[in-house]
Amino acid sequence: MTNVSAVEASFSMSGRAEYEAAVQRLRDASRTYYGAGYSLMDDAAYDRLRLAVLDWEAEHPDETAPDSPTGRVADGAAPAGDVAHTARLLSLDNVFTPEQLTAWGASLRRRLGHEPAGGFTVEPKMDGAAVAARYRDGRLTQIITRGDGTHGEDVSHVIGTVVGLPEQLPVPATFEARGEVLFTQEQFEAANETRAAHGAGVFANPRNGTAGTLRAKDRPYRLAMTFWAYGAVELDGVPFLPAGAGHAETLAAVARAGVRTTADTPAGLHTVATLDEAQEKVDAIAALRASLPFGIDGVVVKADSATEQATAGFGTRFPYWAVAYKLPAVERQTVLQDVFWEVGRTGVLAPTAVLAPVELDGSTVTRATLHNPADILRRDLHIGDTVTVYKAGDIIPRVQAAVVELRPQDAVPVPLPHECPHCGGGIDKSQERWRCAKGTACALAPLIEYAAGRDILDIDGLGRKYVDALIASGDVGDVADLFTLTEEQLTVASG
Ligand SMILES: [Zn+2]
């Protein structure tokens, strides 16, 4: 199966056989993700397939598979583990549009029997892995994955490597912090450098890296991750939370104990009175997305009041008093078809990835930056690889990594240039960013033209033809020569 076809296919299911095939693909994708730490398809493709399965199940309730992944926490694929959760650790229902958020608000109102009076909280939905971190008398004693919501895996081997989850708190508190562990972008780059240095495959993206790192107990190296709490429960019957604490108050108690919460992120935790105001905060956090130092895949809206949360209650997979407003995909998988090299004005050789077209954050992406040869080698990129590509807002799309497990047999490492792609001369490889050995002289004409342009020197009438003539005559060897040109030199050049 290739990812591109999975993404571009339209999932209208005409019969039971297609439904069952789709359910199987969901299972395969989830199992690979949780079990092997890589993704057979990206989130956008997964969500689309999942929605199509849900649609079919809504229309054919009698034929719905009893073990359909759509009815289970983490789609039933996360390893359950053998540690019982203190209280179920559930996922969240999703909405994708303002209308769906309004509809969620209406369903909450029905469950409460009145307008929600306790207001809403709005916070970023970090794109990592949910864990429960147990503190006893101020010591971090255990970290557990979400698993199937009732049982998780003990991943305490990462204690000491997670920023935001100190091993020792300044107060002797006993409680369980619940939140998301992930690699920030900076930690992700560092992790892949460490992996490359150990001959291990790079992570395709920060979230896959998180899943893999939580499960790997016998690595010869440790990788730093980060945690933010989005909830807490009491542990061992020891009082911790203020009586009747709502969501914002709960997080404040966690923060006072010394553990990081979503309120500490640049996106913050916001308390608002109405769902309209919540939508405004959703939009504000979405607008911050490209500038955040970590990935988010949505924004979480919760009824803040503990009383209203208790009245609204829980379903089998998620609470009725909270919802995740999912943001458009900013990361997709596509195929790296080629790499071409250009010489910039400063003589630097810049590689650009040619990608199979993919829809990303509202535009079709066919090119992405690859930085430099060392970066290509570090990522072990091959032509033909399925790669993860990230783009948010106005930033230049970047290739994050190859999904090594999906590499075709005929894939070849990205060829690095042996000669300057502009002038055919030698290459200076003494730094990470390779340069033409001629330096700025290689691309002198575009450099001079650029310098003469309106934004810099603003020399009227000094176009490319003129520049070429001045270089050919030897009158201009660098930008400084422009200042000492004589009228005669200019006249000769223009003739
Ligand atoms: Zn050159």
Side-chain angles (χ1 to χ4, degrees):
M1 139 185 183
T2 73
N3 300 283
V4 177
S5 64
V7 169
E8 309 308 337
S10 77
F11 303 121
S12 59
M13 272 165 263
S14 55
R16 168 136 194 134
E18 279 184 62
Y19 163 71
E20 284 175 354
V23 164
Q24 191 54 47
R25 282 171 70 189
L26 283 183
R27 283 203 190 99
D28 290 345
S30 303
R31 192 177 303 125
T32 309
Y33 167 62
Y34 286 104
Y38 70 96
S39 300
L40 282 173
M41 60 179 97
D42 56 44
D43 284 1
Y46 186 90
D47 282 344
R48 210 180 301 178
L49 184 60
R50 191 169 179 283
L51 286 175
V53 165
L54 281 171
D55 281 351
W56 197 90
E57 290 175 346
E59 283 175 31
H60 305 82
D62 299 342
E63 294 185 67
T64 296
D67 59 344
S68 169
T70 58
R72 306 172 68 187
V73 170
D75 286 358
D82 52 11
V83 184
H85 280 299
T86 45
R88 283 187 302 161
L89 181 50
L90 300 178
S91 44
L92 293 175
D93 199 11
N94 296 326
V95 296
F96 296 87
T97 64
E99 294 73 27
Q100 290 173 345
L101 183 64
T102 304
W104 171 80
S107 76
L108 178 62
R109 196 183 315 124
R110 277 195 305 277
R111 288 179 194 282
L112 296 178
H114 57 79
E115 286 292 335
F120 297 93
T121 58
V122 185
E123 66 205 286
K125 182 174 185 293
M126 257 72 79
D127 196 7
V131 296
R134 293 176 177 173
Y135 281 94
R136 292 185 167 94
D137 295 326
R139 270 201 75 77
L140 179 54
T141 57
Q142 197 173 30
I143 302 180
I144 307 143
T145 63
R146 181 166 59 200
D148 67 359
T150 59
H151 290 79
E153 285 186 297
D154 188 312
V155 292
S156 302
H157 65 96
V158 299
I159 288 176
T161 64
V162 186
V163 177
L165 272 182
E167 291 183 73
Q168 183 70 53
L169 299 177
V171 291
T174 295
F175 68 105
E176 179 178 300
R178 296 175 154 199
E180 203 84 352
V181 62
L182 51 63
F183 285 105
T184 63
Q185 195 58 42
E186 198 180 338
Q187 288 173 330
F188 175 68
E189 302 294 341
N192 273 345
E193 279 188 38
T194 300
R195 301 235 332 146
H198 282 83
V202 296
F203 296 130
N205 63 29
R207 194 183 47 178
N208 284 350
T210 303
T213 301
L214 289 176
R215 299 209 72 200
K217 295 181 180 167
D218 47 8
R219 283 185 186 150
Y221 50 88
R222 307 192 87 190
L223 304 174
M225 298 183 289
T226 300
F227 174 88
W228 284 279
Y230 52 64
V233 293
E234 292 182 340
L235 191 60
D236 305 341
V238 179
F240 171 71
L241 297 171
H247 181 61
E249 259 189 278
T250 298
L251 292 196
V254 172
R256 277 196 302 275
V259 172
R260 275 198 199 181
T261 76
T262 52
D264 299 315
T265 67
L269 172 77
H270 309 270
T271 309
V272 296
T274 68
L275 208 52
D276 283 346
E277 292 169 84
Q279 177 69 55
E280 283 172 26
K281 292 298 179 188
V282 167
D283 296 341
I285 291 176
L288 281 177
R289 189 182 197 183
S291 67
L292 295 175
F294 49 81
I296 65 173
D297 61 343
V299 181
V300 176
V301 179
K302 292 179 173 174
D304 192 22
S305 146
T307 312
E308 291 182 344
Q309 289 179 4
T311 307
F314 293 86
T316 54
R317 294 178 64 232
F318 44 76
Y320 293 123
W321 43 266
V323 75
Y325 192 111
K326 293 276 284 223
L327 298 177
V330 287
E331 185 192 287
R332 296 293 302 271
Q333 293 182 357
T334 188
V335 174
L336 176 62
Q337 296 177 325
D338 200 2
V339 172
F340 65 85
W341 298 77
E342 289 172 306
V343 180
R345 285 188 298 272
T346 57
V348 168
L349 272 56
T352 298
V354 180
L355 306 168
V358 63
E359 285 295 317
L360 205 46
D361 201 27
S363 60
T364 303
V365 170
T366 57
R367 300 278 190 273
T369 179
L370 284 173
H371 306 295
N372 58 60
D375 191 61
I376 290 171
L377 293 174
R378 201 155 42 221
R379 289 166 208 265
D380 187 34
L381 294 175
H382 285 45
I383 304 291
D385 265 342
T386 293
V387 293
T388 51
V389 182
Y390 180 90
K391 175 190 180 296
D394 295 330
I395 72 162
I396 298 168
R398 64 167 183 258
V399 170
Q400 295 206 108
V403 186
V404 181
E405 293 82 355
L406 299 178
R407 177 169 291 159
Q409 285 196 338
D410 58 354
V412 292
V414 170
L416 302 180
H418 298 292
E419 56 192 31
C420 171
H422 184 70
C423 70
I427 297 174
D428 171 5
K429 302 181 180 177
S430 60
Q431 296 174 2
E432 275 214 340
R433 292 164 73 84
W434 291 3
R435 289 162 190 276
C436 173
K438 291 183 192 152
T440 54
C442 172
L444 188 58
L447 173 70
I448 299 291
E449 195 180 10
Y450 172 74
R454 187 175 304 160
D455 293 340
I456 301 188
L457 297 175
D458 196 15
I459 304 175
D460 207 22
L462 190 57
R464 182 59 173 267
K465 214 175 126 193
Y466 228 148
V467 169
D468 284 344
L470 287 167
I471 291 171
S473 68
D475 289 324
V476 171
D478 57 34
V479 174
D481 288 340
L482 291 175
F483 296 101
T484 55
L485 284 175
T486 64
E487 197 175 334
E488 188 196 344
Q489 286 170 316
L490 284 169
T491 312
V492 171
S494 66

Coordinates of all heavy atoms in Angstrom, one line a residue, residues 343 347 349 419-427 435-439 441-443, ligand 1:
V343 N 22.7 27.2 -6.9 CA 23.7 28.0 -6.2 C 23.1 29.3 -5.9 O 22.6 30.0 -6.8 CB 24.9 28.2 -7.1 CG1 26.0 29.0 -6.4 CG2 25.5 26.8 -7.5
G347 N 26.9 31.8 -3.1 CA 27.7 30.6 -3.5 C 27.3 29.4 -2.8 O 27.9 28.3 -3.1
L349 N 25.4 26.0 -2.0 CA 24.6 25.0 -2.8 C 23.4 24.6 -2.0 O 23.5 24.1 -0.9 CB 25.4 23.8 -3.1 CG 26.3 23.8 -4.3 CD1 27.2 25.0 -4.3 CD2 27.1 22.5 -4.4
E419 N 30.2 18.3 -8.5 CA 30.7 19.6 -9.1 C 29.6 20.7 -8.9 O 28.4 20.3 -8.7 CB 31.0 19.4 -10.6 CG 29.9 18.9 -11.4 CD 30.3 18.5 -12.8 OE1 31.4 18.0 -12.9 OE2 29.4 18.6 -13.7
C420 N 30.0 21.9 -9.0 CA 29.0 23.0 -8.9 C 28.0 22.9 -9.9 O 28.3 22.8 -11.1 CB 29.8 24.3 -9.0 SG 28.6 25.7 -9.0
P421 N 26.7 22.9 -9.5 CA 25.6 22.7 -10.5 C 25.4 24.0 -11.3 O 24.7 23.9 -12.4 CB 24.4 22.5 -9.6 CG 24.7 23.1 -8.3 CD 26.2 22.9 -8.1
H422 N 26.1 25.1 -11.0 CA 25.9 26.3 -11.8 C 27.1 26.4 -12.8 O 26.8 26.6 -14.0 CB 25.9 27.5 -10.8 CG 25.6 28.8 -11.5 ND1 24.4 29.1 -12.1 CD2 26.5 29.9 -11.8 CE1 24.5 30.3 -12.7 NE2 25.7 30.8 -12.5
C423 N 28.3 26.3 -12.3 CA 29.5 26.6 -13.2 C 30.3 25.3 -13.5 O 31.2 25.4 -14.3 CB 30.4 27.7 -12.6 SG 31.3 27.1 -11.1
G424 N 30.0 24.2 -12.9 CA 30.7 23.0 -13.2 C 32.0 22.9 -12.5 O 32.8 22.0 -12.6
G425 N 32.4 23.9 -11.7 CA 33.7 23.9 -11.0 C 33.6 23.1 -9.7 O 32.7 22.4 -9.4
G426 N 34.7 23.2 -8.9 CA 34.9 22.5 -7.7 C 33.9 23.0 -6.6 O 33.3 24.0 -6.7
I427 N 33.8 22.1 -5.5 CA 32.9 22.5 -4.4 C 33.8 22.6 -3.1 O 34.6 21.7 -2.9 CB 31.8 21.4 -4.2 CG1 30.9 21.3 -5.5 CG2 31.0 21.7 -3.0 CD1 29.9 20.2 -5.4
R435 N 29.7 25.1 -0.6 CA 29.7 26.3 -1.5 C 30.4 25.9 -2.7 O 31.3 25.1 -2.8 CB 30.4 27.4 -0.8 CG 29.7 28.0 0.4 CD 30.7 28.8 1.2 NE 30.0 29.2 2.4 CZ 29.2 30.3 2.5 NH1 29.0 31.1 1.5 NH2 28.6 30.6 3.6
C436 N 30.1 26.7 -3.8 CA 31.0 26.6 -5.0 C 32.3 27.2 -4.6 O 32.4 28.2 -3.8 CB 30.4 27.5 -6.1 SG 31.5 27.7 -7.5
A437 N 33.4 26.5 -5.1 CA 34.8 27.0 -4.7 C 35.0 28.4 -5.1 O 35.9 29.1 -4.6 CB 35.8 26.0 -5.3
K438 N 34.3 28.9 -6.1 CA 34.5 30.3 -6.6 C 33.7 31.2 -5.7 O 33.8 32.4 -5.8 CB 33.9 30.4 -8.0 CG 34.8 29.7 -9.0 CD 34.2 30.0 -10.4 CE 34.8 29.1 -11.5 NZ 33.8 28.9 -12.6
G439 N 33.0 30.7 -4.7 CA 32.3 31.6 -3.8 C 31.2 32.4 -4.5 O 30.6 32.0 -5.4
A441 N 31.7 34.5 -6.7 CA 32.0 34.8 -8.1 C 31.2 33.8 -9.0 O 30.9 34.2 -10.1 CB 33.5 34.6 -8.3
C442 N 30.9 32.6 -8.5 CA 30.1 31.7 -9.3 C 28.8 32.3 -9.7 O 28.5 32.2 -10.9 CB 29.9 30.4 -8.5 SG 28.8 29.3 -9.4
A443 N 28.1 32.9 -8.8 CA 26.8 33.4 -9.1 C 26.9 34.9 -9.1 O 26.0 35.6 -8.6 CB 25.8 32.9 -8.2
Ligands
ZN1 ZN 30.0 27.4 -9.3

